Amino acid sequence: MNINVISVFPEILESSFKGLTGKAIEKNIAKLKLIDLKEFSNNDYGSIDDAPYGGGEGMVLGIEPLEKSLNTIEKPGHVICLTPQGTVFNQTKAVDLSKLKDLTFVCGRYEGIDQRFIDNYVDEEISIGDYVLSGGEIAASVVIDAILRNIDDVIGNKHSVYRDSHSEGKLKGHVYTRPSDHQGKKVPEILLSGDHKKVNEWKLANSLWVTKEKRPDLFKQLQLSEKEMILLRQYGDFVKKKHD
Ligand code: SAM
C-alpha cells in the first residue's frame, strides 16, 4: 500500500509510526510519503494560508499550495481529507480502506481547507470523532494505524485482528496475565483449566456481556444465535451470584 500525507507539520506523523505500524513500513508492506505543505507556497512570503473571505477568525489553507503538493504525487489514489465535518471513522471503514493500493491523506490546520480543493480533489471526508483537534495530523495517524493493522502480515497473528473489539460488532472481553492470584483477586478459574472448548465459550460469553454492559448501543445491533443467548444468560447468572 502507498500512503501519502499532505500536512503543514509532517514531523508529527513521523514520530507516530513505531511498533507494529513502523515495522509495516520497514518491511515495505506500506510505503509512507510525507509531503510538507510549507514547501508549496505560491507567493514571495512563503505563506500557504490566508484570511477567510467574508471575515471570521483564523486562516484557511489555500487551494494553490494544496493543489501543487497533490500534483507531486504520482498516484494519489483515494484522497481523504481529515475534518471534523466528515463521516465518523470506524473499524468497517478501516477494513475497507485497507484493501486499497494508493491512499492520500490531506491534513487541515487553522480554520480548515479552501472548499474548492475539497470539491475538486477529495474523494472522502473523515472525522475521528465529534470534537475538534488543532490539526489533521493526529487524526491521519489514527486512521493510518487502524488501516495498517488490517493488512496481511502486519500483525504476526492474523486471528488476533479478527478477535479485536469492533471486528464483529462486539467488544473484546476481559484479559488477564500472571499472577493468577493477586492479593486474593483471582483470574477466572476456567481460563486456567486447559479445556479449550470451555475457555472459548467463556471468552465469547464474556465478550457479549462486556458489550452489553459497556456499549448497549452496539449490543442492540447484534443478532445472537441461540447458543450465544444461552452462554450470555449463564454468564449473567454467574456474575449475579458473585455479587450476591
Ligand atoms: N474550524 C473547523 C471546524 O469548526 O470545522 C475546525 C478546524 S480544526 C481547528 C483544524 C483541522 O484539524 C481541520 O481542518 C482538520 O483537518 C483537523 N481536525 C480537527 N478535528 C478533527 C476531527 N475530529 N477529525 C479529523 N480531523 C480533525
Side-chain angles (χ1 to χ4, degrees):
M1 170 180 273
N2 298 304
I3 299 172
N4 311 289
V5 186
I6 299 174
S7 152
V8 184
F9 298 116
E11 58 277 15
I12 297 177
L13 281 129
E14 244 162 47
S15 57
S16 62
F17 295 104
K18 305 262 188 246
L20 283 173
T21 49
K23 275 204 194 108
I25 291 163
E26 266 169 39
K27 286 198 269 177
N28 261 341
I29 295 171
K31 283 194 190 135
L32 184 66
K33 186 175 177 197
L34 301 178
I35 296 145
D36 189 342
L37 189 63
K38 297 190 291 302
E39 290 171 9
F40 296 91
S41 168
N42 63 326
N43 58 51
D44 297 340
Y45 317 107
S47 63
I48 48 169
D49 55 358
D50 212 330
Y53 278 120
E57 57 287 326
M59 300 291 266
V60 177
L61 293 179
I63 183 167
E64 285 152 326
L66 283 162
E67 209 169 38
K68 268 167 79 179
S69 66
L70 186 67
N71 285 340
T72 64
I73 302 170
E74 202 186 333
K75 283 190 197 155
H78 192 66
V79 179
I80 294 169
C81 176
L82 283 317
T83 161
Q85 296 152 32
T87 308
V88 178
F89 187 61
N90 62 18
Q91 185 68 13
T92 307
K93 179 52 77 179
V95 172
D96 288 350
L97 292 175
S98 74
K99 294 172 187 149
L100 301 182
K101 197 167 176 305
D102 300 291
L103 280 174
T104 296
F105 293 89
V106 185
C107 305
R109 275 270 151 188
Y110 321 122
E111 268 313 292
I113 288 177
D114 189 302
Q115 185 60 37
R116 291 165 295 180
F117 178 81
I118 297 173
D119 294 343
N120 289 356
Y121 301 104
V122 170
D123 297 305
E124 184 168 15
E125 293 179 279
I126 289 183
S127 161
I128 61 159
D130 291 341
Y131 42 78
V132 176
L133 302 164
S134 312
E137 291 77 9
I138 293 174
S141 296
V142 167
V143 172
I144 295 169
D145 188 303
I147 291 173
L148 290 180
R149 290 178 59 80
N150 291 289
I151 296 181
D152 283 353
D153 300 331
V154 169
I155 297 206
N157 181 359
K158 244 205 262 205
H159 300 291
S160 81
V161 176
Y162 306 135
R163 285 194 286 257
D164 274 343
S165 291
H166 302 291
S167 60
E168 286 173 332
K170 57 184 188 305
L171 304 179
K172 184 161 179 148
H174 301 154
V175 290
Y176 301 88
T177 187
R178 267 182 265 271
S180 61
D181 184 337
H182 176 67
Q183 299 172 356
K185 279 227 153 206
K186 292 185 179 147
V187 168
E189 238 174 75
I190 201 116
L191 296 180
L192 312 174
S193 70
D195 183 334
H196 295 302
K197 185 169 175 273
K198 287 221 161 98
V199 167
N200 286 336
E201 284 180 352
W202 183 91
K203 285 185 177 175
L204 174 59
N206 174 261
S207 140
L208 292 171
W209 185 80
V210 166
T211 310
K212 189 170 174 227
E213 292 294 307
K214 294 188 177 173
R215 291 290 302 272
D217 57 322
L218 294 181
F219 184 76
K220 250 193 230 158
Q221 290 172 39
L222 291 176
Q223 301 206 325
L224 300 191
S225 66
E226 206 165 316
K227 187 184 167 200
E228 286 173 326
M229 281 194 265
I230 294 169
L231 287 173
L232 179 60
R233 207 174 312 125
Q234 286 169 346
Y235 190 89
D237 291 346
F238 163 76
V239 172
K240 200 165 163 269
K241 236 190 249 163
K242 242 175 67 174
H243 288 110
D244 280 347

